[in-house]
Amino acid sequence: MSARRIDGKAFAAGLRERVGTIAADFAGKAGRKAGLAVVLVGDDPASQVYVRSKGKATVAANMNSFEHRLPTDATQEQLEGLVDTLNANPEVDGILVQLPLPAHLNEQAVVDRIAPAKDVDGLTPVSTGRLALGLDGLVPCTPLGSLMLLKDIHGDLSGMNAVVIGRSILVGKPMAQLLLAESCTVTIAHSRTKNLPELLRGADIVVAAVGRPEMVRADWLKPGATVIDVGINRLPPEPGAEKGKLVGDVAYGEASEVAGAITPVPGGVGPMTIAVLLRNTLVAAHRNENIALTDTTL
């Protein structure tokens, strides 16, 4: 068996195109563009790249991008004050504070400060609570993007056995909640789970988000299983190379000989994250202006 390669890059491109079309329609109805504000504290190179790419993608999708940069030594009061200002700005529909923050700042307090209606990362207590209760709300981008890929392959997920490896608030926990809402039978596993290979061999769906390079091996998988690899790990560079190879949490080469479908790393889940961020911003904009979405499947 050779697994179907799940092309997240192509799916994300289609989603971004749809978002751009609907965003243009929104601007005509609301008299303004939807707006995403991204806050970056410090000068971490990786975070700077992420913020730039998010800004470009936002503008390309017919929305306004508001970038706010604070120095590394910014105080908790300064950061929370900026979030308060963005909460009150009617031009801003979504607020994303780029994590991680410098160590002297309280991340949870900053996240808690974001207005739930503008919480496009889906991390506030209100957003996580609504997800747990099965109520409509804004959902973390990576899990929602992963669910979109799964539904694109299978359509109805009802009754499928799913194992989520990882219990983070960013991916593992919300992913499990989303799969439960699709009537899957869900098990949350993690790095300390006993007999993990045996557990995975009964799974129709495996979502790996544990942060360990190539931890999931081919003989851990049920033949024909669908594998969503959320992990992004950089291996040590080989002699003479500047950077090491990017790999996921699943040993892609061997796993693709057993799985029915699998996401590559890179090019799988990664591109979905920004696409869903744009989607969440557009959804928030429609709700903030009490305008019905023209595409109810978004």
Side-chain angles (χ1 to χ4, degrees):
M1 177 183 295
S2 182
R4 169 184 170 183
R5 182 180 181 274
I6 303 172
D7 192 343
K9 186 175 181 180
F11 190 101
L15 177 58
R16 286 162 66 165
E17 184 176 352
R18 288 170 59 204
V19 166
T21 300
I22 300 169
D25 176 77
F26 170 85
K29 293 176 178 176
R32 68 172 183 87
K33 290 185 176 182
L36 172 64
V38 179
V39 178
L40 174 63
V41 182
D43 54 5
D44 177 73
S47 293
Q48 289 180 336
V49 170
Y50 292 146
V51 168
R52 280 197 300 270
S53 63
K54 287 169 183 173
K56 290 178 180 178
T58 303
V59 172
N62 296 317
M63 295 188 281
N64 284 329
S65 173
F66 306 101
E67 293 184 16
H68 297 269
R69 296 173 183 257
L70 295 176
T72 304
D73 60 356
T75 65
Q76 189 80 19
E77 183 180 17
Q78 287 174 318
L79 179 53
E80 291 186 5
L82 174 56
V83 171
D84 289 343
T85 299
L86 297 174
N87 283 336
N89 186 344
E91 298 292 314
V92 173
D93 298 291
I95 301 170
L96 185 148
V97 178
Q98 185 67 43
L99 303 178
L101 294 172
H104 69 282
L105 296 172
N106 185 329
E107 287 187 358
Q108 191 58 54
V110 173
V111 170
D112 290 352
R113 201 88 173 191
I114 298 171
K118 300 187 179 187
D119 176 27
V120 287
D121 240 358
L123 297 179
T124 64
V126 170
S127 296
T128 55
R130 292 186 71 85
L131 177 60
L133 290 170
L135 300 176
D136 196 23
L138 295 169
V139 178
C141 302
T142 301
L144 183 53
S146 299
L147 181 67
M148 288 179 177
L149 294 178
L150 284 168
K151 293 183 75 172
D152 184 57
I153 296 167
H154 295 289
D156 184 13
L157 305 180
S158 178
M160 298 183 77
N161 290 322
V163 175
V164 179
I165 315 173
R167 49 185 167 176
S168 73
I169 193 66
L170 286 172
V171 181
K173 291 178 180 177
M175 188 77 244
Q177 295 287 355
L178 288 171
L179 289 168
L180 281 171
E182 296 294 327
S183 297
C184 292
T185 300
V186 183
T187 301
I188 300 180
H190 45 79
S191 59
R192 297 186 184 181
T193 298
K194 295 180 179 179
N195 301 318
L196 181 57
E198 182 179 343
L199 187 65
L200 291 185
R201 290 185 192 116
D204 304 304
I205 296 170
V206 174
V207 181
V210 72
R212 293 192 176 185
E214 301 183 324
M215 183 183 81
V216 178
R217 314 306 299 191
D219 62 356
W220 294 18
L221 299 173
K222 176 182 179 180
T226 299
V227 180
I228 304 294
D229 191 351
V230 182
I232 300 180
N233 312 282
R234 191 174 291 279
L235 299 177
E238 296 181 357
E242 289 186 12
K243 292 183 178 180
K245 180 182 177 183
L246 278 178
V247 299
D249 291 349
V250 179
Y252 179 84
E254 61 181 70
S256 62
E257 297 300 318
V258 177
I262 187 171
T263 57
V265 177
V269 175
M272 292 296 296
T273 300
I274 291 182
V276 175
L277 174 64
L278 301 176
R279 176 262 182 204
N280 281 359
T281 301
L282 188 57
V283 168
H286 280 78
R287 291 174 181 169
N288 292 339
E289 294 287 351
N290 291 314
I291 296 174
L293 267 170
T294 55
D295 185 347
T296 58
T297 65
L298 191 65

